[in-house]
Amino acid sequence: MLTFIHTYTEESWQGFLKNGLWREGDGLKLMHTVYLPEGRDFNRVLGPGTPLTKRLEELRCPFYIDRHQGGVGLPR
């Protein structure tokens, strides 16, 4: 079975469902970089009781944390 790992944001999740792009067996990926805007940083998105945490508990799907840390930093 082919598994897609979708990059997660709350907005993209709604789009996956609306457009029939989410299938059983698919997984989610969360970007983790120091350059994310406040509110989209790793600890807030994946903290206890957040929509993503609840969703992962319900789906029990593959989950990948993409630690995008290398390269040249961008100014904040």
Side-chain angles (χ1 to χ4, degrees), residues 30-42:
L30 182 62
M31 296 296 292
H32 175 56
T33 177
V34 296
Y35 304 111
L36 287 173
E38 189 173 327
R40 290 190 182 250
D41 57 272
F42 178 80

Side-chain angles (χ1 to χ4, degrees), residues 49-63:
T50 62
L52 177 55
T53 301
K54 291 176 184 176
R55 191 158 290 123
L56 291 170
E57 289 171 356
E58 292 171 10
L59 294 172
R60 301 189 56 80
C61 66
F63 179 61

